[in-house]
Amino acid sequence: MKYKLSSFNYVLCCDDGSLRLYNSMYGANSLIAVDPGVRDEILSVLNGTAPIDGIPEYIKKELIKSGYIVPIDRDENYALKIKNIKTIMNEKYLQLVIMPTEQCNFRCRYCYETFEKPKMSISIQNAIIKYVQKNISNYMGLSVSWFGGEPLMALDVIEYLSENFLRICKAAKRVYMSGITTNGYDLTADIFKQLYKFKILSYQITLDGYRSQHDNQRILADGSGTFDRIVNNLIEIVIVVQMASVNNSEMLFGVFITA
Ligand code: SF4
């Protein structure tokens, strides 16, 4: 593999002849104190006057591990943007991925679920609410992703938890955001409007290609196809959004179509 120097390298030459290296992309984990014995060798690589491939393999490995040299095709600016977004989200928002049920009305041919666990019990729901209540003040907000199984098969769990999350965030003056991964089969316009009230604004729905391909893969438990109903639901939702029953500027739809 070919490598290049990172744009985020900082080198400090110390009075005792040693070097201190820092890479601002990797942060504190990148800090290296370089012994005077290999100082010139490393300095000439990092200032671009010697080729990267000219240094001993063990030094090269260390510089790769700490981010001073990176694969030649890495777009570091893009990587930095992603890192910043992740940092903001990780540090500032309490993020929960909640499976209201492991049950599903589909039996996709490639599914890895066992469908063993039923709907989330009320005691677990209350424990989650208690946890959010206790910790929300440490964050800027709460971000919830509904996942499954098929989460819409436990709509009452989504409703109960959402009502409480909204109440807690409002009282604590914190942001609340939420999204759902659903197979879309039960996502009628009415359910969509209900979910909108619970601030579920981001949707991930999968279509496995055109009707024939999709209906061969993403089938109901009785083996029948699901394409038409999902697409009809989506069309009805588009009409709801266009009629401005909801504020479409805050909606985010991702319909994943796999070939
Ligand atoms: S929609 Fe398909 S892949 Fe997803 S949980 Fe149900 S059966 Fe599995």
Side-chain angles (χ1 to χ4, degrees), residues 99 101-115 147-151 153 181-184 206 217-219:
M99 288 176 72
T101 180
E102 204 180 82
Q103 299 300 306
C104 186
N105 45 354
F106 281 23
R107 286 295 180 272
C108 302
R109 297 196 192 283
Y110 45 73
C111 185
Y112 54 83
E113 290 289 358
T114 55
F115 311 111
F147 203 71
E150 169 48 42
M153 291 192 74
T181 301
T182 167
N183 59 37
T206 299
Q217 300 276 7
R218 292 180 71 79
I219 51 178

Side-chain angles (χ1 to χ4, degrees), residues 82-98:
I82 297 294
K83 181 173 178 259
N84 287 343
I85 290 169
K86 280 186 179 165
T87 303
I88 290 168
M89 289 300 289
N90 286 343
E91 289 178 0
K92 307 285 183 191
Y93 280 78
L94 174 57
Q95 296 183 70
L96 301 179
V97 178
I98 301 178

Side-chain angles (χ1 to χ4, degrees), residues 7-249:
S7 321
F8 297 93
N9 293 341
Y10 293 88
V11 180
L12 175 68
C13 299
C14 302
D15 292 342
D16 64 0
S18 67
L19 292 178
R20 297 285 185 277
L21 307 183
Y22 177 68
N23 180 280
S24 58
M25 173 77 94
Y26 276 61
N29 289 339
S30 71
L31 280 168
I32 296 178
V34 178
D35 192 79
V38 286
R39 170 191 192 277
D40 290 343
E41 209 166 9
I42 290 183
L43 192 56
S44 56
V45 168
L46 292 181
N47 67 20
T49 56
I52 290 171
D53 286 339
I55 48 173
E57 202 55 29
Y58 78 97
I59 296 179
K60 189 173 161 187
K61 270 189 187 161
E62 195 56 39
L63 293 178
I64 291 170
K65 197 175 97 189
S66 303
Y68 295 96
I69 52 183
V70 295
I72 199 151
D73 56 355
R74 175 167 300 168
D75 181 345
E76 286 197 291
N77 289 329
Y78 177 74
L80 182 64
K81 276 182 201 156
I82 297 294
K83 181 173 178 259
N84 287 343
I85 290 169
K86 280 186 179 165
T87 303
I88 290 168
M89 289 300 289
N90 286 343
E91 289 178 0
K92 307 285 183 191
Y93 280 78
L94 174 57
Q95 296 183 70
L96 301 179
V97 178
I98 301 178
M99 288 176 72
T101 180
E102 204 180 82
Q103 299 300 306
C104 186
N105 45 354
F106 281 23
R107 286 295 180 272
C108 302
R109 297 196 192 283
Y110 45 73
C111 185
Y112 54 83
E113 290 289 358
T114 55
F115 311 111
E116 278 169 6
K117 296 206 173 87
K119 201 156 70 174
M120 183 184 280
S121 69
I122 190 70
S123 60
I124 291 181
Q125 292 177 60
N126 286 332
I128 295 172
I129 292 166
K130 203 168 158 191
Y131 175 82
V132 171
Q133 178 84 65
K134 191 173 166 196
N135 290 285
I136 193 65
S137 60
N138 300 323
Y139 297 90
M140 279 173 60
L142 170 63
S143 166
V144 173
S145 302
W146 303 101
F147 203 71
E150 169 48 42
L152 293 182
M153 291 192 74
L155 193 56
D156 55 333
V157 175
I158 294 178
E159 285 178 355
Y160 180 66
L161 288 175
S162 297
E163 277 168 355
N164 281 284
F165 292 156
L166 284 162
R167 175 183 56 75
I168 292 167
C169 287
K170 189 174 177 196
K173 295 190 171 48
R174 295 295 191 270
V175 176
Y176 179 66
M177 59 178 83
S178 179
I180 189 166
T181 301
T182 167
N183 59 37
Y185 193 78
D186 287 332
L187 187 63
T188 61
D190 284 342
I191 299 284
F192 171 77
K193 284 190 232 172
Q194 253 178 288
L195 298 181
Y196 180 73
K197 284 190 197 145
F198 296 125
K199 283 209 171 285
I200 298 179
L201 302 179
S202 161
Y203 289 78
Q204 185 171 318
I205 300 159
T206 299
L207 290 175
D208 275 1
Y210 293 115
R211 181 190 287 113
S212 59
Q213 192 180 350
H214 176 98
D215 283 348
N216 187 39
Q217 300 276 7
R218 292 180 71 79
I219 51 178
L220 290 175
D222 68 6
S224 53
T226 59
F227 184 91
D228 287 341
R229 179 152 155 177
I230 296 169
V231 171
N232 284 342
N233 284 343
L234 293 175
I235 291 169
E236 282 183 20
I237 287 168
V238 169
I239 294 168
V240 167
V241 173
Q242 283 180 340
M243 287 169 68
S245 307
V246 299
N247 179 358
N248 60 14
S249 65

